[in-house]
Amino acid sequence: MTDHHSDIDSVSGKSTTGHEWDGIKELNTPLPRWWVISFYLTIIWSIGYWIVYPAWPLIQSNTTGMFGYSSRADVAVELANLEKIRGDKMAALGAASLADIEKDPALLALARAKGKTVFGDNCAPCHGSGAAGAKGYPNLNDDDWLWGGTLDQIMQTIQFGARSGHAKTHEGQMLAFGKDGVLKSDEIVTVANYVRSLAGLSTRNGFDAAKGEKIFAENCVACHGDGGKGNQEMGAPNLTDKIWLYGSDEAALIETISQGRAGVMPAWEGRLDPATIKAMAVYVHSLGGGK
Amino acid sequence: MNKTVNPKDLTLDDDNGPLYAAHKKVYPQSVSGTFRRIKWSLMAICLGVYYFLPFVRWNRGLGAPSQAVLIDLPNSRFYFFFIELWPQEVYYFTGLLIVAAVALFLMNSVGGRIWCGYLCPQTVWTDLFYAVERLIEGDRRERMKKDKSSDPLKLERISEIVLKHSIWLMIAWWTGGAWVLYFNDAPTLVKELVTFQGPMIAYIWIGILTASTYLLAGYMREQVCTYMCPWPRIQAALTDEWALNVTYRYDRGEKRTSVKKAAELRALGEQVGDCVDCYQCVAVCRTGIDIRNGPQMECIQCGLCIDACDNVMTKIGRPKRLIGYDNDINIHRRQEGKAPIYRIVRARTIVYSAIIAAIGGFMVYTLATRSLLDVNVLHDRNPVAVKLSDGSIRNAYTVRLLNKSGYDRAIAIDVEGPANPTMHVVGVDSVTPDRPIIVIPRDSTSELRLLVTAPAENNPEKSIPVRFHVMDIGLGVAASATDNFVAP
């Protein structure tokens, strides 16, 4: 090989690499030195990386690195730190009464923010992401509450649930008057129409209102109260208002009366810490339906 | 076969040369004169403003920052003397950037790259670094000699180098230090930094800017202007034949010859130039070019060659400004025996000035008339509307009230749109059922959940426009926002 420093291309005046193909020579145009140095530095750096950090996949596991670093452990530490940072704020939330939280703008903002995220994680599957509910799952934005809409009542429902199996849960269910043979089908149709009349809705032509009232008085008043105003102690809905959990048309009412209803709300005590449950109660109350 | 020649003897034809040439160190000589004095003064002003502005105080009342210029990132506020900007007013910065860009265009159409030569931070700091270098290592010839010296390890030389780099690093460090002071209360931060109590991010930024200043002003110097900066390329598209660039007036410079010979030839009545080929213009040049080769991309128009040439012309008894701010049109006119003409006011400069005046004027106007109370409304999307047990309709809104003033404000909210509305702000007991009043602390925003309920009767079945009025009940300052009221 020719010493390329002395081999100068006569046209360009530059030195060549000395490599020749069919009389064509390659000009020696090296990469800038700073570039080459940076390239070697990155190689050296990567070796350090292999040693210090988890890097090489093995058959069953991977190399763990010198300091036992893992990003998962980092996340755990970060989360713990976050809890610590938020600790006194959440403690303040836990210490304050529900009414005080609503009065204090800072605590209210914290409770609403916390409540919103926890709601999204835990409640949204049934009640919807905006708490608008669905058939059988109450809309928490409105002012109709099966078990009461005050701050304390909402918190109690979240804590213990409804028909959840918890010792302090709300109990009470709509019986299956048709399935259990208590009422005959024509009686069910009659009482369904009677209930619609209570809510000011249209009724089937020629339905016997007196008979409906009688059936209602014998079977339904115990829970739904005189005139169907409902009873929050038993979770019995108000049948005279404009809000219907399972629908207000005749077919829906017939189904409800025949088959009964017993929606379940899980108890969140034990799954969420008390401060979080408090935040949730405030959040749900602030959706607008709270009393 | 190729001839064997020494690469050092090769000269590349200027037009066909590579886009990148191996770096040749430039050793600018010191020079004195008009433009050097202008440069010194501008450097003093620029650096003085940069280094000391954070320490200027401005009383904004208790609890508000008392720093005249402060970029308060944690609280998302920008303070500039009496102006306080919020994040949503970032368009003022956009306006400022546009004005700055057009101002560059204007400067360029009047005096070429005068920004590069006098005001560009790269120029200012490089000039400062050159001054330090000259003070310690001597002027051009001495520095060249020392760099070539075969014995660089003499104690004296080492101490010179160490001293130079220490001072450079101190300047660079102060540059980074001043930068972070714009982001926090300067005296407090200085105290914290000195006692190593400062925030890590401050140290990181000081480090970054120390390194960049040291590298860019100490080592890269003119290479930043020729290889890294896009401005030389852009300005080529912006300049025109009337722009005053640093120009060698070859009409009176050529032919070049020695002083003695020129005198002899002149005595014989022959035409000779004033240029005596002394190379002073080249020796003082920051970018190492020869201005006599005509306008060049590397020229930053700093005018130091004008000073150098003027000094020589004075010495040899010839008129000054053989090199000066001029253009080719005038050189040609002089060659034709006509008087030179200078056109600062022309379509281009008028348009640029008009743009600057229009945008600047608009900014000043909006800044002077902007409301210190603002309201933003966001309709709840899920659910958009709620039917209540008595059949009435309720819509929920997230209302953000902005109080940009320096005092707490009691704000009343009114709604206009649905018939017989009632309003409730979550967490607030309203004295009047349809008109909640909320106190917004000064210089802050409050986000409220606002529920508007309207009876079903008289209200349409679909969406209707709704307008929220907010008013400072003390001062009567008002703002409003529109949205929709939706039926389920």
Side-chain angles (χ1 to χ4, degrees), chain B residues 167-213:
Chain B
I167 296 177
W168 277 3
L169 278 168
M170 271 161 62
I171 296 169
W173 165 78
W174 196 14
T175 305
W179 175 262
V180 300
L181 297 183
Y182 285 93
F183 295 85
N184 212 326
D185 184 59
T188 319
L189 187 60
V190 168
K191 208 179 290 169
E192 284 176 358
L193 288 172
V194 170
T195 53
F196 297 102
Q197 305 288 309
M200 183 46 78
I201 191 75
Y203 291 107
I204 291 172
W205 272 104
I206 292 174
I208 290 172
L209 284 154
T210 305
S212 61
T213 309

Short mmCIF file of all heavy atoms in Angstrom, two decimals, chain B residues 167-213:
data_model
loop_
_atom_site.label_atom_id
_atom_site.label_comp_id
_atom_site.label_asym_id
_atom_site.label_seq_id
_atom_site.Cartn_x
_atom_site.Cartn_y
_atom_site.Cartn_z
N ILE B 167 -9.98 33.51 33.90
CA ILE B 167 -10.81 34.70 33.73
C ILE B 167 -11.96 34.42 32.77
O ILE B 167 -13.10 34.79 33.01
CB ILE B 167 -9.95 35.90 33.25
CG1 ILE B 167 -8.94 36.26 34.33
CG2 ILE B 167 -10.84 37.10 32.93
CD1 ILE B 167 -7.99 37.37 33.96
N TRP B 168 -11.65 33.69 31.69
CA TRP B 168 -12.70 33.30 30.75
C TRP B 168 -13.79 32.54 31.48
O TRP B 168 -14.98 32.80 31.32
CB TRP B 168 -12.13 32.39 29.65
CG TRP B 168 -11.49 33.13 28.52
CD1 TRP B 168 -11.31 34.48 28.42
CD2 TRP B 168 -10.95 32.56 27.33
NE1 TRP B 168 -10.69 34.78 27.25
CE2 TRP B 168 -10.45 33.63 26.55
CE3 TRP B 168 -10.83 31.26 26.84
CZ2 TRP B 168 -9.85 33.43 25.32
CZ3 TRP B 168 -10.24 31.05 25.62
CH2 TRP B 168 -9.74 32.13 24.87
N LEU B 169 -13.38 31.57 32.28
CA LEU B 169 -14.37 30.76 32.99
C LEU B 169 -15.17 31.58 33.98
O LEU B 169 -16.36 31.35 34.17
CB LEU B 169 -13.68 29.59 33.70
CG LEU B 169 -13.39 28.39 32.80
CD1 LEU B 169 -12.46 27.40 33.49
CD2 LEU B 169 -14.69 27.69 32.38
N MET B 170 -14.50 32.57 34.59
CA MET B 170 -15.22 33.42 35.53
C MET B 170 -16.29 34.25 34.82
O MET B 170 -17.42 34.37 35.29
CB MET B 170 -14.25 34.33 36.28
CG MET B 170 -13.72 33.69 37.55
SD MET B 170 -12.21 34.48 38.13
CE MET B 170 -12.80 36.13 38.44
N ILE B 171 -15.92 34.78 33.65
CA ILE B 171 -16.91 35.53 32.86
C ILE B 171 -18.07 34.60 32.46
O ILE B 171 -19.24 34.94 32.60
CB ILE B 171 -16.26 36.15 31.61
CG1 ILE B 171 -15.19 37.18 32.01
CG2 ILE B 171 -17.32 36.80 30.72
CD1 ILE B 171 -14.33 37.64 30.84
N ALA B 172 -17.68 33.42 31.98
CA ALA B 172 -18.69 32.46 31.53
C ALA B 172 -19.60 32.07 32.69
O ALA B 172 -20.83 31.97 32.54
CB ALA B 172 -18.01 31.22 30.95
N TRP B 173 -18.99 31.88 33.85
CA TRP B 173 -19.76 31.48 35.03
C TRP B 173 -20.72 32.59 35.44
O TRP B 173 -21.88 32.36 35.77
CB TRP B 173 -18.79 31.14 36.15
CG TRP B 173 -19.43 31.06 37.50
CD1 TRP B 173 -20.17 30.02 38.00
CD2 TRP B 173 -19.38 32.06 38.51
NE1 TRP B 173 -20.60 30.33 39.25
CE2 TRP B 173 -20.14 31.56 39.60
CE3 TRP B 173 -18.78 33.32 38.62
CZ2 TRP B 173 -20.30 32.28 40.76
CZ3 TRP B 173 -18.96 34.03 39.77
CH2 TRP B 173 -19.70 33.52 40.83
N TRP B 174 -20.25 33.82 35.35
CA TRP B 174 -21.11 34.94 35.71
C TRP B 174 -22.26 35.06 34.70
O TRP B 174 -23.39 35.42 35.04
CB TRP B 174 -20.31 36.25 35.78
CG TRP B 174 -21.04 37.33 36.51
CD1 TRP B 174 -22.15 37.18 37.30
CD2 TRP B 174 -20.72 38.72 36.51
NE1 TRP B 174 -22.53 38.39 37.80
CE2 TRP B 174 -21.68 39.36 37.33
CE3 TRP B 174 -19.73 39.48 35.91
CZ2 TRP B 174 -21.66 40.73 37.56
CZ3 TRP B 174 -19.72 40.85 36.13
CH2 TRP B 174 -20.67 41.46 36.96
N THR B 175 -21.95 34.73 33.45
CA THR B 175 -22.99 34.77 32.43
C THR B 175 -24.10 33.78 32.75
O THR B 175 -25.28 34.11 32.69
CB THR B 175 -22.36 34.43 31.06
OG1 THR B 175 -21.28 35.32 30.83
CG2 THR B 175 -23.37 34.54 29.95
N GLY B 176 -23.70 32.55 33.10
CA GLY B 176 -24.71 31.55 33.49
C GLY B 176 -25.41 31.95 34.77
O GLY B 176 -26.62 31.77 34.91
N GLY B 177 -24.64 32.53 35.69
CA GLY B 177 -25.22 32.94 36.97
C GLY B 177 -26.27 34.01 36.79
O GLY B 177 -27.35 33.97 37.39
N ALA B 178 -25.98 34.99 35.92
CA ALA B 178 -26.95 36.06 35.70
C ALA B 178 -28.22 35.51 35.07
O ALA B 178 -29.32 35.96 35.36
CB ALA B 178 -26.34 37.14 34.80
N TRP B 179 -28.06 34.51 34.22
CA TRP B 179 -29.22 33.92 33.55
C TRP B 179 -30.24 33.39 34.56
O TRP B 179 -31.43 33.69 34.46
CB TRP B 179 -28.74 32.80 32.63
CG TRP B 179 -29.85 32.04 31.97
CD1 TRP B 179 -30.37 30.84 32.35
CD2 TRP B 179 -30.58 32.42 30.81
NE1 TRP B 179 -31.38 30.46 31.51
CE2 TRP B 179 -31.53 31.41 30.55
CE3 TRP B 179 -30.52 33.53 29.96
CZ2 TRP B 179 -32.41 31.47 29.49
CZ3 TRP B 179 -31.42 33.58 28.89
CH2 TRP B 179 -32.34 32.55 28.66
N VAL B 180 -29.77 32.62 35.53
CA VAL B 180 -30.73 32.01 36.46
C VAL B 180 -31.38 33.06 37.36
O VAL B 180 -32.47 32.85 37.87
CB VAL B 180 -30.10 30.89 37.32
CG1 VAL B 180 -29.55 29.78 36.44
CG2 VAL B 180 -29.01 31.43 38.24
N LEU B 181 -30.72 34.21 37.52
CA LEU B 181 -31.29 35.24 38.39
C LEU B 181 -32.57 35.82 37.83
O LEU B 181 -33.35 36.44 38.54
CB LEU B 181 -30.28 36.37 38.62
CG LEU B 181 -29.00 35.97 39.35
CD1 LEU B 181 -28.13 37.17 39.58
CD2 LEU B 181 -29.30 35.29 40.67
N TYR B 182 -32.80 35.64 36.54
CA TYR B 182 -34.04 36.14 35.95
C TYR B 182 -35.23 35.26 36.33
O TYR B 182 -36.37 35.60 36.07
CB TYR B 182 -33.93 36.18 34.42
CG TYR B 182 -33.08 37.34 33.93
CD1 TYR B 182 -31.72 37.19 33.68
CD2 TYR B 182 -33.64 38.58 33.71
CE1 TYR B 182 -30.95 38.23 33.25
CE2 TYR B 182 -32.88 39.64 33.26
CZ TYR B 182 -31.54 39.46 33.03
OH TYR B 182 -30.78 40.51 32.59
N PHE B 183 -34.95 34.09 36.92
CA PHE B 183 -36.03 33.15 37.20
C PHE B 183 -36.37 33.03 38.67
O PHE B 183 -37.17 32.19 39.06
CB PHE B 183 -35.66 31.76 36.65
CG PHE B 183 -35.55 31.75 35.15
CD1 PHE B 183 -34.37 32.13 34.52
CD2 PHE B 183 -36.63 31.39 34.37
CE1 PHE B 183 -34.27 32.13 33.14
CE2 PHE B 183 -36.55 31.39 33.00
CZ PHE B 183 -35.37 31.77 32.38
N ASN B 184 -35.70 33.82 39.48
CA ASN B 184 -35.97 33.75 40.91
C ASN B 184 -35.53 35.07 41.52
O ASN B 184 -34.81 35.84 40.90
CB ASN B 184 -35.17 32.59 41.52
CG ASN B 184 -35.92 31.98 42.69
OD1 ASN B 184 -36.62 32.68 43.42
ND2 ASN B 184 -35.78 30.68 42.85
N ASP B 185 -35.95 35.32 42.75
CA ASP B 185 -35.56 36.57 43.39
C ASP B 185 -34.04 36.63 43.48
O ASP B 185 -33.42 35.80 44.16
CB ASP B 185 -36.19 36.65 44.78
CG ASP B 185 -35.88 37.99 45.42
OD1 ASP B 185 -36.25 39.02 44.84
OD2 ASP B 185 -35.24 37.99 46.49
N ALA B 186 -33.44 37.60 42.78
CA ALA B 186 -31.99 37.61 42.59
C ALA B 186 -31.19 37.62 43.91
O ALA B 186 -30.34 36.74 44.10
CB ALA B 186 -31.59 38.76 41.70
N PRO B 187 -31.40 38.56 44.83
CA PRO B 187 -30.57 38.58 46.04
C PRO B 187 -30.69 37.28 46.85
O PRO B 187 -29.69 36.75 47.34
CB PRO B 187 -31.11 39.77 46.82
CG PRO B 187 -31.82 40.61 45.83
CD PRO B 187 -32.34 39.68 44.81
N THR B 188 -31.91 36.77 46.96
CA THR B 188 -32.12 35.51 47.69
C THR B 188 -31.38 34.38 47.01
O THR B 188 -30.69 33.58 47.67
CB THR B 188 -33.63 35.17 47.73
OG1 THR B 188 -34.36 36.35 47.96
CG2 THR B 188 -33.93 34.13 48.78
N LEU B 189 -31.51 34.31 45.70
CA LEU B 189 -30.88 33.22 44.96
C LEU B 189 -29.36 33.29 45.06
O LEU B 189 -28.70 32.26 45.22
CB LEU B 189 -31.34 33.24 43.50
CG LEU B 189 -30.90 32.05 42.65
CD1 LEU B 189 -31.43 30.75 43.23
CD2 LEU B 189 -31.36 32.19 41.21
N VAL B 190 -28.82 34.50 44.99
CA VAL B 190 -27.37 34.66 45.11
C VAL B 190 -26.91 34.10 46.46
O VAL B 190 -25.95 33.33 46.54
CB VAL B 190 -26.96 36.14 44.97
CG1 VAL B 190 -25.51 36.34 45.39
CG2 VAL B 190 -27.15 36.60 43.53
N LYS B 191 -27.65 34.47 47.51
CA LYS B 191 -27.31 33.99 48.85
C LYS B 191 -27.37 32.46 48.89
O LYS B 191 -26.47 31.79 49.40
CB LYS B 191 -28.29 34.59 49.86
CG LYS B 191 -27.70 34.76 51.25
CD LYS B 191 -28.71 35.38 52.20
CE LYS B 191 -29.01 36.84 51.92
NZ LYS B 191 -30.16 37.36 52.66
N GLU B 192 -28.42 31.91 48.31
CA GLU B 192 -28.59 30.45 48.31
C GLU B 192 -27.48 29.76 47.52
O GLU B 192 -26.94 28.75 47.94
CB GLU B 192 -29.94 30.07 47.69
CG GLU B 192 -31.12 30.31 48.60
CD GLU B 192 -32.44 30.03 47.90
OE1 GLU B 192 -32.42 29.69 46.69
OE2 GLU B 192 -33.48 30.18 48.54
N LEU B 193 -27.16 30.36 46.36
CA LEU B 193 -26.15 29.74 45.50
C LEU B 193 -24.80 29.73 46.20
O LEU B 193 -24.06 28.74 46.15
CB LEU B 193 -26.05 30.49 44.17
CG LEU B 193 -27.23 30.31 43.21
CD1 LEU B 193 -27.10 31.26 42.03
CD2 LEU B 193 -27.30 28.88 42.72
N VAL B 194 -24.48 30.84 46.87
CA VAL B 194 -23.19 30.95 47.53
C VAL B 194 -23.07 29.96 48.68
O VAL B 194 -22.02 29.37 48.91
CB VAL B 194 -22.98 32.41 48.02
CG1 VAL B 194 -21.76 32.51 48.92
CG2 VAL B 194 -22.82 33.33 46.83
N THR B 195 -24.19 29.73 49.36
CA THR B 195 -24.15 28.80 50.50
C THR B 195 -24.52 27.38 50.09
O THR B 195 -24.77 26.53 50.93
CB THR B 195 -25.11 29.28 51.60
OG1 THR B 195 -26.41 29.47 51.00
CG2 THR B 195 -24.64 30.57 52.23
N PHE B 196 -24.56 27.13 48.78
CA PHE B 196 -24.89 25.81 48.23
C PHE B 196 -26.26 25.32 48.68
O PHE B 196 -26.48 24.13 48.89
CB PHE B 196 -23.81 24.79 48.60
CG PHE B 196 -22.48 25.15 48.01
CD1 PHE B 196 -21.49 25.73 48.79
CD2 PHE B 196 -22.23 24.94 46.66
CE1 PHE B 196 -20.28 26.10 48.23
CE2 PHE B 196 -21.01 25.29 46.10
CZ PHE B 196 -20.03 25.88 46.89
N GLN B 197 -27.19 26.25 48.84
CA GLN B 197 -28.55 25.88 49.22
C GLN B 197 -29.47 26.03 48.00
O GLN B 197 -30.66 25.78 48.11
CB GLN B 197 -29.08 26.80 50.33
CG GLN B 197 -28.20 26.86 51.56
CD GLN B 197 -28.28 25.58 52.35
OE1 GLN B 197 -29.36 25.13 52.67
NE2 GLN B 197 -27.15 24.99 52.64
N GLY B 198 -28.93 26.49 46.89
CA GLY B 198 -29.76 26.80 45.73
C GLY B 198 -30.37 25.54 45.13
O GLY B 198 -29.92 24.42 45.39
N PRO B 199 -31.42 25.73 44.33
CA PRO B 199 -32.04 24.58 43.68
C PRO B 199 -31.10 23.96 42.64
O PRO B 199 -30.34 24.67 41.98
CB PRO B 199 -33.29 25.16 43.00
CG PRO B 199 -33.04 26.62 42.93
CD PRO B 199 -32.08 26.99 44.00
N MET B 200 -31.18 22.64 42.52
CA MET B 200 -30.29 21.91 41.61
C MET B 200 -30.39 22.45 40.18
O MET B 200 -29.40 22.61 39.48
CB MET B 200 -30.65 20.42 41.66
CG MET B 200 -29.78 19.51 40.81
SD MET B 200 -28.00 19.82 40.97
CE MET B 200 -27.67 19.01 42.52
N ILE B 201 -31.63 22.78 39.78
CA ILE B 201 -31.84 23.23 38.40
C ILE B 201 -31.03 24.50 38.12
O ILE B 201 -30.53 24.69 37.02
CB ILE B 201 -33.35 23.43 38.11
CG1 ILE B 201 -33.62 23.63 36.62
CG2 ILE B 201 -33.96 24.57 38.92
CD1 ILE B 201 -33.53 22.39 35.81
N ALA B 202 -30.88 25.35 39.15
CA ALA B 202 -30.10 26.57 38.96
C ALA B 202 -28.64 26.22 38.68
O ALA B 202 -28.02 26.77 37.77
CB ALA B 202 -30.21 27.45 40.20
N TYR B 203 -28.10 25.29 39.46
CA TYR B 203 -26.70 24.89 39.24
C TYR B 203 -26.52 24.26 37.86
O TYR B 203 -25.53 24.50 37.18
CB TYR B 203 -26.24 23.91 40.32
CG TYR B 203 -26.12 24.55 41.68
CD1 TYR B 203 -27.04 24.28 42.68
CD2 TYR B 203 -25.09 25.45 41.97
CE1 TYR B 203 -26.94 24.87 43.93
CE2 TYR B 203 -24.98 26.04 43.20
CZ TYR B 203 -25.91 25.76 44.18
OH TYR B 203 -25.81 26.35 45.39
N ILE B 204 -27.52 23.48 37.45
CA ILE B 204 -27.42 22.82 36.14
C ILE B 204 -27.39 23.89 35.03
O ILE B 204 -26.54 23.84 34.14
CB ILE B 204 -28.60 21.86 35.93
CG1 ILE B 204 -28.46 20.66 36.87
CG2 ILE B 204 -28.67 21.38 34.47
CD1 ILE B 204 -29.67 19.74 36.90
N TRP B 205 -28.28 24.88 35.15
CA TRP B 205 -28.31 25.91 34.11
C TRP B 205 -27.05 26.76 34.12
O TRP B 205 -26.55 27.14 33.06
CB TRP B 205 -29.56 26.77 34.24
CG TRP B 205 -30.69 26.17 33.50
CD1 TRP B 205 -31.75 25.50 34.03
CD2 TRP B 205 -30.86 26.12 32.08
NE1 TRP B 205 -32.57 25.05 33.03
CE2 TRP B 205 -32.05 25.42 31.82
CE3 TRP B 205 -30.11 26.60 30.99
CZ2 TRP B 205 -32.51 25.19 30.53
CZ3 TRP B 205 -30.58 26.37 29.71
CH2 TRP B 205 -31.76 25.66 29.49
N ILE B 206 -26.55 27.05 35.31
CA ILE B 206 -25.30 27.80 35.38
C ILE B 206 -24.21 27.00 34.67
O ILE B 206 -23.42 27.53 33.88
CB ILE B 206 -24.91 28.10 36.83
CG1 ILE B 206 -25.90 29.09 37.44
CG2 ILE B 206 -23.49 28.67 36.92
CD1 ILE B 206 -25.70 29.36 38.91
N GLY B 207 -24.19 25.70 34.93
CA GLY B 207 -23.19 24.82 34.30
C GLY B 207 -23.31 24.84 32.79
O GLY B 207 -22.32 25.03 32.06
N ILE B 208 -24.54 24.70 32.30
CA ILE B 208 -24.76 24.65 30.84
C ILE B 208 -24.29 25.96 30.21
O ILE B 208 -23.57 25.97 29.21
CB ILE B 208 -26.25 24.42 30.52
CG1 ILE B 208 -26.66 23.00 30.91
CG2 ILE B 208 -26.54 24.67 29.04
CD1 ILE B 208 -28.15 22.74 30.82
N LEU B 209 -24.69 27.09 30.81
CA LEU B 209 -24.36 28.38 30.19
C LEU B 209 -22.91 28.75 30.39
O LEU B 209 -22.33 29.44 29.55
CB LEU B 209 -25.29 29.46 30.73
CG LEU B 209 -26.66 29.33 30.07
CD1 LEU B 209 -27.76 29.90 30.93
CD2 LEU B 209 -26.66 29.99 28.70
N THR B 210 -22.31 28.29 31.48
CA THR B 210 -20.88 28.50 31.65
C THR B 210 -20.14 27.78 30.54
O THR B 210 -19.29 28.36 29.86
CB THR B 210 -20.41 27.98 33.02
OG1 THR B 210 -21.18 28.60 34.04
CG2 THR B 210 -18.94 28.27 33.24
N ALA B 211 -20.51 26.52 30.33
CA ALA B 211 -19.84 25.72 29.30
C ALA B 211 -20.06 26.32 27.92
O ALA B 211 -19.11 26.46 27.14
CB ALA B 211 -20.36 24.28 29.34
N SER B 212 -21.30 26.71 27.61
CA SER B 212 -21.55 27.20 26.25
C SER B 212 -20.86 28.55 26.03
O SER B 212 -20.32 28.78 24.95
CB SER B 212 -23.05 27.29 25.97
OG SER B 212 -23.66 28.17 26.88
N THR B 213 -20.88 29.41 27.03
CA THR B 213 -20.21 30.70 26.86
C THR B 213 -18.71 30.49 26.66
O THR B 213 -18.09 31.07 25.75
CB THR B 213 -20.42 31.60 28.10
OG1 THR B 213 -21.80 31.65 28.39
CG2 THR B 213 -19.89 33.00 27.87
#
